[in-house]
Amino acid sequence: MTKFFRSTFGIATVVCFAFAVWALWTGGIFEGAMARDVRTSSVYVADGVDLDEAAAERVIGNRRLVVIVEEPGADLREGCDDVERAADGNLVLLLSQGDDEYDTYGCALLPDRDDENFGKAFVAEQIIKRGIDQFADRPREAIKVVAVNYDLLVRAGTVPDGAREISAPLPRFLIAGAAVLAVVLGAVGLNLAARRAARLAIRVQEQRTAAGDARSRLNAGAAVLAQQIIDLDGRHPASIIDDYVRLLDDIPDARTEAEYNALAKRVDALSERCRRVT
């Protein structure tokens, strides 16, 4: 055994085993179903809740927002504790349906939430749930209201702008690469894999940068439009609401600068219609 662990292969085996333990721990192997789900999804729907999870995810899109829909009577505060690591950096809203309203619990897992951003985190937790009780029997529509509230918070600077980045934990890549490279490819393969990953990361970053300005303009316009609709206080034609709901459905599907600009034109057109109503 001593000879084995002193050999190059033995050392590589030990390193791979250490990476494996690290990957399993940081990847959430000991977490519950809720935490594992929100690591890669913006919506968690408990068993027995009548809600199309995929449709709800499309409503939220790539916002730094996580909505957890629990069964009636669930301990929402405990759920917030369960996802603290998995949803770190996001604004989380837990809710469960009651008779005429939702039970809610918000947890703003924002950077520095316990220090200088404590006030912003508290405000975000209160605002994000505003107005959802009028859709007590329609959770998908309630989530659309949550998305509008989130955009208003972004516009006010209460929560940071930008898309949520969902990726597998870094240790998962390390263990996969280390195991293959130590046994088969060696140091040369490791260098090639690192170069390829760097080139891929650069291309992805360039694409995000190209669409970033257009996305920001769209988010700002959508936030202004949402406030206009709220200010109309029921005086808007039904067609405006119908067009606005369709717009919310289309926004999460946008990926390119051209798509964001096309949606921004729709926002401007709806905004002009709201101004004519006033």
Side-chain angles (χ1 to χ4, degrees), residues 132-148:
I132 66 174
D133 286 337
Q134 60 182 316
F135 300 105
D137 58 342
R138 290 181 289 167
R140 186 186 177 197
E141 301 304 316
I143 290 177
K144 291 181 180 179
V145 175
V146 171
V148 170

Side-chain angles (χ1 to χ4, degrees), residues 83-106:
V83 301
E84 184 173 2
R85 287 184 56 192
D88 189 38
N90 298 280
L91 178 56
V92 181
L93 176 65
L94 297 97
L95 53 87
S96 62
Q97 289 178 283
D99 294 334
D100 298 316
E101 61 182 9
Y102 288 97
D103 292 327
T104 62
Y105 192 87

Side-chain angles (χ1 to χ4, degrees), residues 36-171:
R36 289 196 299 270
D37 197 3
V38 301
R39 279 186 178 276
T40 55
S41 172
S42 55
V43 178
Y44 171 81
V45 180
D47 294 337
V49 175
D50 184 16
L51 174 62
D52 186 338
E53 184 171 332
E57 287 177 347
R58 289 193 295 270
V59 171
I60 294 179
N62 60 358
R63 296 175 175 86
R64 294 180 181 177
L65 173 65
V66 175
V67 177
I68 297 172
V69 186
E70 283 275 40
E71 294 180 341
D75 187 341
L76 302 182
R77 179 166 186 163
E78 181 179 352
C80 188
D81 293 337
D82 290 343
V83 301
E84 184 173 2
R85 287 184 56 192
D88 189 38
N90 298 280
L91 178 56
V92 181
L93 176 65
L94 297 97
L95 53 87
S96 62
Q97 289 178 283
D99 294 334
D100 298 316
E101 61 182 9
Y102 288 97
D103 292 327
T104 62
Y105 192 87
C107 44
L109 305 178
L110 306 176
D112 299 320
R113 55 188 175 272
D114 294 326
D115 297 314
E116 65 263 24
N117 285 335
F118 176 81
K120 289 184 177 180
F122 177 79
V123 171
E125 291 170 0
Q126 301 305 311
I127 296 297
I128 195 64
K129 61 187 178 182
R130 187 178 62 181
I132 66 174
D133 286 337
Q134 60 182 316
F135 300 105
D137 58 342
R138 290 181 289 167
R140 186 186 177 197
E141 301 304 316
I143 290 177
K144 291 181 180 179
V145 175
V146 171
V148 170
N149 290 340
Y150 177 87
D151 291 340
L152 292 174
L153 288 169
V154 171
R155 181 191 174 201
T158 306
V159 298
D161 192 11
R164 181 184 181 188
E165 297 182 4
I166 300 177
S167 61
L170 177 61

